[in-house]
């Protein structure tokens, strides 16, 4: 009939054939280019994508095409939710989707999947990231030291975002600082003598994590395990982690 | 032998994908990936987009420490970086004038910088160094709180597409020649300039955003303009200057924008347009104009009402109209000249595409009601007309409602919503 019902045939690496509407298929710039510069009736080979992955990708493209064209009554928030669920897959699938989106040049899908991976890295400590992605740490101790030294300026503090260092302050000043800040993490310096009263006052503040760097470890209040880290600055910092209630 | 399910799938991704992922992380996290494994040591170092803000460093009460920390962080990142840098963004209130910034800009000018965003703090404004004017590949420039003084030999940025100057100290001639010297300019935003008088010549300009005390604006050559948003704060000097002017601002500003699709006018914009001799029927039709929003329109000033009328009667495809009033019912005026509506409105005028109208801050003055009546009578496709009375008007609301009920509606499916706060 009209050009809206033109179909394009796609053959995947495992020899599966998909027939899709042109409007859906040309979300991929690669397919669009091949279609426009080749024989319109022939089958397009997508060598690097398997049937399962292509099927998922076509679902994505269809959803987005329909929502943009108004064929489906879906609000931007609902589409956002749908996208969020779309990427709730195992890592194998996620990375296959990334590679396929890259190869097929589907920008919005590539953005979505890369953002998902970025969210899995953000705010995590290196050990956690290695565990998540099965990255093997092949640094020798000396090499790791060297990297930390080289990037000391980036490794200097735990957490980064919203970390506040309080040094040599009186109790009430400290609690004032904490009240006025949006910080989530508060580090008290090694030589600070902090009264337990202040710590609990701080801890009662909404979701503030209090880290203490004392010379002597352990008090009975500590609920979580003591974590020890050598940050290459020559002394050992001990972190007491209080999680406090909202 | 590793189980297939626990393979490392991320480290061998192509660098372009790794970059896409790392760019979505705060830069601090991106640099920290260097510790993950030997493959990761320098994956961050070839990022072409660098975005710095206060989250890069430890927040502290000691301002100097934060400043030093941030300067150190940025300098080290640049020093260890490899390859071209296409985007550099720095947003911070902690740095103002600082010699390191000059050095960073020099470094960037040697590394093909394309997008530069500098948003610095209050205090002594940073003086942009001359190396910035050597960045030939610049496509985007955003400067906040700087002093900008191009050398005489500077001809413009030939690749610049987007320019955003906010609270920038620069001479009007320099701005004009900068705009004219950027032939590819598509998006221009100027805010918080003092008493700027400006003629804009930008043949490819599509988006314009102006905010501040502008003495005079003229759009001389902007045939491709698609959207504009203007807020003009008026001081007494400027108002006086306006009263004396006779050139028609409407044509000077809106005379050469046939492709306009969206027009948003904030405070005093309608007043600005109303200055000067009335041009009568306009020769120009805004065939693409779909959305018009005009704020602070005084329905007691006949000239302002004329501006609104001229605009909408020359926009056959108008879909959405939003007007906020600024009339003062307490200042009693002489009997309103209601014949005006008979005289000035074209009798065969219909708004065939008008779907949504929002009138806010309505005080119920006669001309406001006449305007609403005019719209209702001439909009056969209208779906919603919503009216929000001004918060100061309490007694007049019932009268407004009574009048509204009487108005004839050209559209059978028009809903009138009277929104009480």
């Amino acid at each position: 009939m009209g050009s809206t019902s033109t179909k394009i045939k796609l053959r995947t690496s495992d020899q599966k054939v998909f027939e899709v509407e042109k409007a859906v298929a040309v979300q991929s710039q690669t397919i669009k280019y091949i279609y426009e510069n080749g024989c319109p009736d022939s089958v397009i080979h997508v060598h690097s994508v398997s049937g399962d992955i292509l099927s998922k990708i076509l679902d994505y493209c269809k959803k987005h095409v329909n929502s943009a064209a108004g064929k489906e009554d879906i609000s931007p928030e609902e589409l956002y939710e749908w996208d969020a669920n779309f990427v709730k897959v195992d890592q194998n699938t996620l990375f296959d989707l990334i590679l396929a989106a890259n190869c097929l040049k589907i920008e919005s899908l590539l953005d979505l999947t890369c953002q998902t991976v970025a969210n899995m890295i953000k705010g995590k400590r290196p050990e956690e990231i290695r565990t998540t992605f099965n990255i093997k740490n092949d640094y020798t101790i000396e090499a790791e030291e060297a990297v930390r030294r080289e990037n000391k300026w980036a490794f200097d503090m735990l957490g980064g975002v919203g970390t506040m260092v309080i040094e040599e302050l009186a109790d009430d000043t400290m609690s004032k600082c904490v009240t006025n800040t949006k910080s989530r993490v508060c580090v008290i310096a090694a030589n600070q003598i902090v009264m337990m009263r202040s710590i609990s006052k701080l801890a009662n503040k909404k979701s503030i994590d209090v880290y203490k760097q004392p010379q002597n470890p352990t008090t009975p209040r500590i609920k979580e395990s003591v974590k020890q880290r050598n940050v290459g600055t020559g002394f050992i910092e001990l972190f007491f982690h209080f999680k406090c209630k909202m | 032998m590793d189980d297939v399910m626990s393979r490392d799938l991320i480290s061998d991704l192509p660098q372009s994908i790794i970059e896409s992922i790392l760019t979505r992380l705060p830069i601090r996290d991106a640099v920290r990936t260097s510790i993950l494994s030997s493959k990761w040591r320098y994956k961050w170092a070839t990022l072409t987009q660098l975005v710095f803000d206060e989250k890069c460093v430890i927040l502290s009460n000691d301002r100097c420490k934060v400043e030093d920390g941030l300067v150190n962080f940025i300098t080290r990142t640049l020093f260890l970086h490899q390859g071209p840098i296409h985007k550099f963004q720095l947003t911070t209130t902690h740095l103002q004038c600082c010699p390191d910034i000059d050095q960073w800009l020099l470094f960037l000018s040697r590394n093909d910088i394309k997008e530069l965003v500098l948003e610095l703090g209050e205090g002594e404004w940073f003086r942009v160094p001359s190396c910035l004017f050597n960045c030939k590949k610049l496509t985007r420039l955003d400067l906040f709180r700087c002093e900008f003084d191009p050398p005489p030999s500077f001809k413009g940025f030939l690749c610049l597409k987007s320019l955003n100057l906010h609270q920038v100290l620069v001479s009007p001639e320099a701005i004009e020649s900068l705009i004219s010297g950027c032939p590819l300019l598509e998006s221009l935003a100027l805010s918080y300039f003092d008493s700027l008088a400006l003629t804009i010549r930008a043949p490819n300009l599509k988006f314009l955003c102006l905010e501040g005390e502008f003495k005079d604006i003229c759009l001389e050559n902007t045939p491709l303009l698609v959207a504009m948003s203007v807020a003009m704060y008026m001081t007494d000097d400027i108002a006086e200057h306006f009263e004396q002017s006779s050139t028609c601002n409407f044509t000077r500003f809106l005379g050469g924008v046939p492709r306009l699709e969206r027009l948003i006018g904030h405070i005093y914009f309608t007043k600005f347009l109303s200055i000067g001799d009335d041009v009568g029927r306009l020769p120009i039709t805004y065939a693409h104009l779909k959305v018009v929003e005009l704020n602070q329109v005084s329905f007691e000033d006949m000239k302002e009402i004329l501006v609104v009328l001229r605009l909408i009667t020359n926009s056959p495809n108008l879909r959405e109209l939003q007007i906020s009033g600024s009339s003062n019912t307490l200042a009693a005026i002489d009997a309103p000249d209601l014949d005006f509506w008979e005289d000035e409105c074209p009798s065969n005028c219909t708004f065939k595409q008008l779907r949504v109208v929002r009138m806010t801050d309505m005080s119920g003055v006669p001309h406001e009601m006449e305007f609403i009546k005019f719209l209702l009578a001439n909009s056969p496709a209208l779906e919603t007309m919503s009216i929000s009375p001004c918060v100061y008007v309490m007694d007049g609301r019932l009268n407004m409602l009574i009048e509204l009920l009487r108005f004839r509606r050209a559209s059978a499916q028009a809903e009138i919503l009277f929104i009480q706060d």
Side-chain angles (χ1 to χ4, degrees):
Chain A
M1 311 293 125
S3 57
T4 45
S5 58
T6 318
K7 302 258 193 219
I8 299 184
K9 292 207 190 83
L10 305 170
R11 177 176 285 141
T12 63
S13 60
D14 48 354
Q15 306 305 318
K16 294 204 179 103
V17 177
F18 290 81
E19 198 170 346
V20 282
E21 276 183 28
K22 177 179 164 215
V24 173
V26 296
Q27 296 281 292
S28 151
Q29 297 297 312
T30 311
I31 294 180
K32 184 173 187 229
Y33 182 79
I34 299 177
Y35 179 76
E36 284 172 359
N37 290 293
C39 211
D41 292 327
S42 60
V43 177
I44 297 180
H45 292 263
V46 280
H47 308 281
S48 41
V49 186
S50 72
D52 294 334
I53 297 296
L54 187 64
S55 167
K56 279 193 78 84
I57 292 186
L58 292 174
D59 279 344
Y60 175 89
C61 293
K62 198 159 164 195
K63 191 81 177 175
H64 280 248
V65 163
N66 285 346
S67 118
K71 280 191 205 161
E72 244 185 78
D73 185 18
I74 178 171
S75 70
E77 294 83 25
E78 283 168 350
L79 189 62
Y80 183 79
E81 285 259 351
W82 190 90
D83 281 353
N85 282 326
F86 182 80
V87 286
K88 282 189 183 147
V89 290
D90 62 272
Q91 266 193 41
N92 273 304
T93 315
L94 184 61
F95 285 109
D96 282 341
L97 283 172
I98 290 189
L99 289 166
N102 187 43
C103 160
L104 294 174
K105 293 203 180 55
I106 306 173
E107 199 176 313
S108 63
L109 181 57
L110 191 57
D111 284 347
L112 175 64
T113 43
C114 285
Q115 184 66 56
T116 310
V117 177
N119 293 342
M120 288 158 84
I121 299 179
K122 204 190 290 202
K124 291 211 171 109
R125 283 193 284 276
E127 310 84 57
E128 291 170 322
I129 304 176
R130 287 194 197 111
T131 316
T132 309
F133 294 104
N134 302 306
I135 301 175
K136 185 156 184 296
N137 181 2
D138 57 354
Y139 281 124
T140 60
I141 302 207
E142 295 83 20
E144 185 165 332
E145 272 298 311
V147 177
R148 279 192 192 270
R149 259 201 317 273
E150 186 174 73
N151 297 329
K152 178 175 184 297
W153 43 281
F155 280 106
D156 252 345
M157 209 55 235
L158 165 89
V161 178
T163 309
M164 186 169 83
V165 178
I166 303 174
E167 289 172 340
E168 318 261 32
L169 288 176
D171 261 357
D172 49 316
T173 324
M174 183 164 64
S175 56
K176 260 190 233 151
C177 293
V178 172
T179 326
N180 294 334
T181 189
K182 297 194 182 101
S183 297
R184 278 198 62 242
V185 178
C186 162
V187 179
I188 308 167
N191 48 6
Q192 175 100 34
I193 301 168
V194 177
M195 294 177 51
M196 276 308 166
R197 187 166 44 103
S198 305
I199 292 192
S200 59
K201 220 197 294 180
L202 291 171
N204 282 335
K205 220 52 207 114
K206 288 181 193 170
S207 59
I208 288 197
D209 297 346
V210 178
Y211 288 76
K212 190 167 189 282
Q213 302 174 25
Q215 319 249 332
N216 300 315
T218 65
T219 69
R221 287 178 194 241
I222 306 309
K223 288 183 187 163
E224 309 227 346
S225 55
V226 175
K227 295 190 197 318
Q228 179 174 327
R229 255 170 50 127
N230 181 347
V231 294
T233 52
F235 71 93
I236 297 177
E237 294 168 338
L238 294 166
F239 294 101
F240 298 89
H241 190 169
F242 283 69
K243 261 280 161 52
C244 38
K245 28 190 181 18
M246 284 288 230
Chain B
M1 206 53 195
D2 279 329
D3 181 12
V4 155
M5 295 309 282
S6 61
R7 261 175 33 213
D8 174 6
L9 297 162
I10 190 174
S11 303
D12 291 318
L13 288 175
Q15 182 61 18
S16 61
I17 297 183
I18 297 275
E19 170 156 345
S20 185
I21 296 172
L22 292 182
T23 308
R24 288 159 207 281
L25 291 170
I27 188 145
R28 199 192 180 84
D29 284 15
V31 175
R32 282 158 170 246
T33 59
S34 54
I35 202 74
L36 292 175
S37 79
S38 56
K39 277 188 190 162
W40 281 85
R41 185 164 181 178
Y42 293 116
K43 281 194 199 271
W44 72 269
T46 48
L47 288 180
T48 56
Q49 294 189 22
L50 301 174
V51 175
F52 298 99
D53 54 28
E54 273 131 19
K55 293 193 220 117
C56 299
V57 289
I58 314 151
L59 285 180
S60 153
N61 318 308
D62 186 349
R63 245 189 111 80
C64 278
K65 267 204 171 153
V66 176
E67 253 190 67
D68 290 344
L70 189 54
V71 167
N72 188 39
F73 189 94
I74 299 177
T75 309
R76 300 251 165 234
T77 310
L78 291 179
F79 198 41
L80 283 165
H81 188 275
Q82 276 176 295
I85 299 178
H86 290 152
K87 177 173 167 188
F88 181 91
Q89 178 172 329
L90 174 57
T91 311
T92 173
T93 52
H94 288 260
L95 289 180
Q96 291 106 326
C97 211
C98 166
D100 302 87
I101 306 183
D102 290 44
Q103 291 199 354
W104 299 334
L105 288 178
L106 183 58
F107 180 83
L108 293 170
S109 68
R110 294 172 178 162
N111 276 287
D112 299 335
I113 185 83
K114 291 192 180 143
E115 286 184 39
L116 179 63
V117 176
L118 269 183
E119 189 177 334
L120 302 173
E122 305 282 352
E124 197 189 329
W125 287 5
F126 167 70
R127 209 193 145 89
V128 170
S130 55
C131 57
L132 177 68
F133 303 104
N134 290 331
C135 298
K136 304 250 180 299
K137 298 195 182 172
L138 215 54
T139 57
R140 175 182 167 196
L141 180 61
D142 284 17
L143 294 175
F144 287 59
R145 293 179 276 276
C146 304
E147 266 185 54
F148 190 82
D149 194 12
S153 57
F154 177 62
K155 296 283 178 281
F157 294 112
L158 296 176
C159 303
L160 197 70
K161 286 198 173 159
S162 166
L163 179 63
N164 181 358
L165 300 177
H166 177 107
Q167 280 186 288
V168 172
L169 194 61
V170 55
S171 71
E173 302 81 37
I175 292 246
E176 271 189 28
S177 80
L178 174 62
I179 296 174
S180 318
C182 301
L184 296 184
L185 196 65
E186 288 180 10
S187 167
L188 174 64
L190 300 174
S191 32
Y192 294 107
F193 286 77
D194 288 334
S195 303
L196 194 60
L198 194 59
T199 303
I200 297 179
R201 297 176 194 93
N204 279 305
L205 197 65
K206 296 206 176 93
F207 306 103
L208 176 64
C209 179
L210 298 171
E211 185 176 348
E213 286 174 15
F214 291 96
K215 218 188 306 180
D216 194 13
I217 312 270
C218 172
L219 297 183
E220 197 177 281
N221 181 12
T222 52
L224 298 182
L225 199 63
V226 161
M228 72 161 86
S229 164
V230 182
M232 313 192 65
Y233 302 120
M234 202 90 87
T235 61
D236 290 333
D237 303 333
I238 298 183
E240 216 186 274
H241 163 90
F242 275 155
E243 299 305 325
Q244 295 158 8
S245 156
S246 66
T247 46
C248 177
N249 278 354
F250 194 104
T251 36
R252 291 183 79 219
F253 204 83
L254 294 178
V257 290
R259 297 206 165 178
L260 197 60
E261 291 177 24
R262 289 178 73 95
L263 171 66
I264 301 179
H266 295 282
I267 188 162
Y268 287 134
F269 182 58
T270 325
K271 179 144 183 66
F272 169 75
L273 288 178
S274 70
I275 305 290
D277 304 329
D278 181 26
V279 70
R281 292 282 137 79
L282 280 181
I284 182 174
T285 308
Y286 301 107
H288 301 272
L289 190 54
K290 297 196 183 61
V291 176
V292 169
E293 181 185 325
L294 293 171
N295 292 299
Q296 311 276 46
V297 177
S298 168
F299 278 89
E300 279 150 353
D301 181 348
M302 310 306 292
K303 296 189 90 178
E304 285 194 38
I305 305 178
L306 261 183
V307 163
V308 179
L309 275 181
R310 297 267 174 260
L311 187 57
I312 61 178
T313 51
N314 281 291
S315 312
N317 292 309
L318 190 63
R319 285 182 68 100
E320 238 182 82
L321 177 64
Q322 180 169 328
I323 305 223
S324 86
S326 77
S327 313
N328 187 358
T329 42
L330 297 177
I333 45 166
D334 352 78
D337 172 22
L338 291 170
D339 292 333
F340 161 84
W341 291 93
E342 306 261 320
D343 301 334
E344 293 294 348
C345 294
S347 49
N348 58 351
C349 167
T350 30
F351 304 107
K352 296 199 181 72
Q353 304 288 338
L354 191 58
R355 303 255 189 282
V356 176
V357 175
R358 270 175 240 120
M359 310 284 300
T360 58
D361 286 308
M362 292 283 102
S363 331
V365 295
H367 284 301
E368 278 175 8
M369 302 314 292
E370 287 295 319
F371 183 66
I372 296 175
K373 182 174 168 189
F374 171 66
L375 287 177
L376 283 172
N378 292 303
S379 314
L382 191 64
E383 287 167 14
T384 339
M385 154 94 67
S386 66
I387 299 170
S388 319
C390 169
V391 289
Y392 304 120
V393 168
M394 295 310 289
D395 304 332
R397 290 187 187 194
L398 192 55
N399 289 339
M400 277 172 77
L401 273 173
I402 294 175
E403 272 198 74
L404 272 173
L405 278 172
R406 295 178 51 199
F407 293 157
R408 288 188 209 284
R409 306 179 199 185
S411 160
Q413 69 261 31
E415 266 191 340
I416 299 191
L417 306 167
F418 194 84
I419 301 177
Q420 310 245 53
D421 17 67

